[in-house]
Amino acid sequence: MKLDNSNGKLCALTNSSADSFPADISPPHNHDDAEEIFVPPLNFAMVDNGIFRSGFPDSANFAFLKSLRLRSVICLCPEPYPEATLEFLKTNRIRLYQFGIDGCKEPFVNIPHDIVREALKVVLDDRNHPLLIHCKRGKHRTGCLVGCIRRLQRWCLSSVFDEYQRFAGAKARVSDQRFIELFDLSCLNHHPLSFSSSKK
C-alpha cells in the first residue's frame, strides 16, 4: 500500500534493485501490478474510535475512504452531493446523512442548534460507525460539531479550542468557539456515549 500524505508526497518503502528483495518475494514485473495509491481527504484526522473528520472528499480519495470501511458519512454542506461521490457511497453501502449548514463568514455566522443536535444523534449511535464527518474544508462546520463531541467527552474548553484552532488555523472564528461553549448538551444526556474517552 502506498499512502499519499498531506504534503502530496508518496510514502513507500522502495528497493534500489531486484537483489534487495528477499528470496521469496519478487518485484513487480509490469505496470499492471502497481499498487493503489491511498490519498486522504483534506484535513483528514481520527476523532475517536470509528469517527473521522475531513474536508469534502472527491474521487482521488475513494480508495482511502474504502479502506476505512465506513458505514456512514455526515455532510454539513447544503449543496447537492456530487453524483460520482453518491455513486461511490451507494456502491460501498455507505449511508449519507446531509445536514445543510451554510458556510457563512463572520460576523454573520448563524449555526443552527437543532441541525447540530440532529447530527450529534447520528454520531452518538455507534450503529453508524465507522463514520466520516465533513464539510467543505473540514475547518469551521466540522470543527463546531467535533467541538460539541469533545464537550460530551468532558474535555476542558481549552483543549476543545486548541483542537478547533489546529484545524481552522488562521481562519479560526470566535463565533464558532462561542457556539461550542454555549451549545446546550442537556437534551443529549440520555444518549449513551460510545466514545473511547468516555469509558475511562
Side-chain angles (χ1 to χ4, degrees):
M1 179 177 81
K2 294 181 181 178
L3 176 65
D4 190 347
N5 66 14
S6 59
N7 295 324
K9 298 177 182 176
L10 289 178
C11 299
L13 295 175
T14 58
N15 295 291
S16 57
S17 70
D19 296 336
S20 59
F21 283 92
D24 58 339
I25 300 177
S26 301
H29 296 293
N30 57 53
H31 294 295
D32 295 334
D33 295 331
E35 295 182 14
E36 200 166 17
I37 297 175
F38 289 72
V39 184
L42 178 71
N43 267 334
F44 177 84
M46 183 175 184
V47 176
D48 204 284
N49 292 335
I51 304 173
F52 307 94
R53 63 177 291 168
S54 75
F56 213 112
D58 60 27
S59 58
N61 311 130
F62 288 172
F64 179 83
L65 294 179
K66 190 173 181 179
S67 74
L68 299 178
R69 303 183 182 212
L70 297 172
R71 285 185 186 171
S72 311
V73 168
I74 291 179
C75 174
L76 300 174
C77 301
E79 296 81 15
Y81 220 66
E83 283 297 325
T85 312
L86 278 175
E87 186 60 33
F88 167 78
L89 298 183
K90 181 179 178 182
T91 300
N92 291 279
R93 297 181 179 180
I94 301 170
R95 185 168 182 180
L96 173 65
Y97 294 90
Q98 189 160 12
F99 299 97
I101 300 173
D102 290 326
C104 303
K105 295 182 179 180
E106 288 185 311
F108 306 105
V109 177
N110 179 25
I111 304 169
H113 288 242
D114 56 332
I115 291 180
V116 171
R117 197 172 293 113
E118 291 305 307
L120 281 170
K121 289 177 183 177
V122 174
V123 174
L124 290 171
D125 188 345
D126 59 7
R127 292 173 297 180
N128 296 318
H129 298 178
L131 173 147
L132 174 70
I133 302 165
H134 79 81
C135 56
K136 186 175 181 181
R137 301 287 180 188
K139 295 180 178 182
H140 302 113
R141 289 167 282 189
T142 299
C144 286
L145 185 59
V146 171
C148 292
I149 292 170
R150 297 310 189 195
R151 283 194 52 216
L152 282 167
Q153 294 178 305
R154 298 179 176 88
W155 280 29
C156 67
L157 277 176
S158 61
S159 295
V160 175
F161 294 157
D162 281 348
E163 181 181 46
Y164 168 85
Q165 291 162 5
R166 191 165 67 249
F167 285 91
K171 296 191 175 182
R173 297 172 179 168
V174 173
S175 57
D176 285 350
Q177 293 168 83
R178 188 182 306 118
F179 173 88
I180 294 168
E181 180 178 4
L182 300 177
F183 185 79
D184 182 12
L185 298 170
S186 61
C187 63
L188 298 166
N189 287 341
H190 63 284
H191 287 264
L193 298 181
S194 57
F195 306 123
S196 59
S197 60
S198 68
K199 297 176 182 178
K200 294 178 181 176

